[in-house]
Amino acid sequence: MNKQLNSSENKLNVAIFASGNGTNFQAIIEANLPIEVKVLVCDHPDAYVLKRAKKAQVPVMVSKVKNGISKEERENNILQCLKANNVKAIFLAGYMRIIGSTLLNAFPKRILNIHPALLPNFPGKNGILDAYNAKVSVTGVTIHYIDAGIDTGQIINQVKVKRYPNDSLKDLETRIHQVEHQLYPNTIHELINKGVL
Ligand code: GAR
C-alpha cells in the first residue's frame, strides 16, 4: 500500500491552494478521487472559492499577505496547519503567489500546479490572454511540479487546445477551462495510482 495514504480510508490527505473563482478546486473535489481535502488555503478573504469550500464543507485557512509579516512567517503558519492536518500533498489551483522555500522544502515534489498554457510558453498570471494575443494556433494546459521559479517546475502532463482564427478570448478561455477540469483530476488520479503521490 502507498504509505502516504491515510490508514482509515486509504485516501491521500491533501490541501488545495486557490486565490479566486475556484472552478479547478470544484473539479477536484467533485472527481471522486481517493483524496481527502483537509483544508483550502486562500490568500483573499473575498475569493469565491471560499463559498465553494463552505458549501462542500471543506475547512479553510485564509492567509492574507500583510505588511510586517514575512513570506517565511506566513508560510510557517500555513505549514503548521498542514502538519496538524497530516497533509501529504498540495494542489495549487489558481493560486497566484510564488511558493517559497519553507513550503518547497517541506513538500519536495509534492506540490502540483495547473497552468493555462503549454509551458514553457506563456508562464505567469495571464497564460490564456498572452497566448491569445500572440495569435498562436495551438495553446493548452500544463500540470507541473512547483519549484522556486515562476511556472518552471518539471512538467507532468500537457494537453493541447486549438485556438481558431475567429475565437474570442472568451471562446478560448472556455475551451481551456474545460480541458483543465478534466486534466487536473485525471493527473492526480494517475499519480496516486502509480504511487508517486
Ligand atoms: C486557471 O485557469 C489556472 O490554470 C490559472 O488560474 C485559473 C484559476 O481558475 N492558474 C495560473 O494562471 C497559474 N499561473 P479557477 O480559480 O476557476 O480554478
Side-chain angles (χ1 to χ4, degrees):
M1 195 186 98
N2 183 335
K3 281 197 204 115
Q4 304 291 348
L5 303 183
N6 71 35
S7 51
S8 55
E9 293 174 84
N10 266 357
K11 287 186 173 176
L12 182 73
N13 290 342
V14 306
I16 299 178
F17 288 25
S19 299
N21 184 352
T23 62
N24 282 285
F25 166 81
Q26 193 82 44
I28 293 169
I29 62 171
E30 285 179 357
N32 240 325
L33 296 169
I35 61 173
E36 186 162 339
V37 183
K38 301 296 272 185
V39 61
L40 166 75
V41 176
C42 179
D43 54 337
H44 287 294
D46 300 327
Y48 188 70
V49 68
L50 292 169
K51 294 202 169 67
R52 295 179 189 272
K54 193 172 175 199
K55 202 167 168 204
Q57 296 183 314
V58 172
V60 302
M61 174 182 192
V62 177
S63 170
K64 272 171 60 169
V65 171
K66 290 189 200 136
N67 284 341
I69 298 190
S70 68
K71 188 179 190 88
E72 192 183 348
E73 210 174 324
R74 186 173 159 269
E75 286 201 344
N76 257 318
N77 289 335
I78 296 174
L79 186 55
Q80 293 322 309
C81 169
L82 302 184
K83 281 187 174 162
N85 282 290
N86 201 17
V87 163
K88 303 290 187 191
I90 299 173
F91 306 143
L92 307 185
Y95 185 68
M96 297 305 188
R97 307 225 155 260
I98 309 228
I99 300 294
S101 53
T102 306
L103 288 174
L104 279 175
N105 292 338
F107 290 88
K109 269 205 143 182
R110 302 194 71 79
I111 310 179
L112 268 53
N113 185 40
I114 184 160
H115 184 74
L118 287 182
L119 292 173
N121 297 330
F122 310 113
K125 288 189 174 175
N126 300 305
I128 303 177
L129 179 66
D130 292 346
Y132 183 80
N133 287 339
K135 296 191 166 44
V136 292
S137 58
V138 177
T139 178
V141 177
T142 303
I143 309 290
H144 65 101
Y145 291 110
I146 284 291
D147 66 8
I150 299 179
D151 300 324
T152 51
Q154 185 195 332
I155 291 170
I156 303 167
N157 239 343
Q158 287 186 309
V159 166
K160 289 179 182 165
V161 175
K162 280 194 176 168
R163 182 244 204 245
Y164 298 103
N166 293 336
D167 270 352
S168 66
L169 177 59
K170 187 86 204 136
D171 292 334
L172 183 62
E173 274 172 357
T174 304
R175 220 174 295 122
I176 294 255
H177 289 315
Q178 281 167 351
V179 170
E180 287 192 320
H181 300 157
Q182 302 290 320
L183 185 65
Y184 212 175
N186 289 348
T187 305
I188 291 166
H189 212 167
E190 247 173 64
L191 293 176
I192 293 174
N193 281 347
K194 284 184 191 159
V196 174
L197 275 184

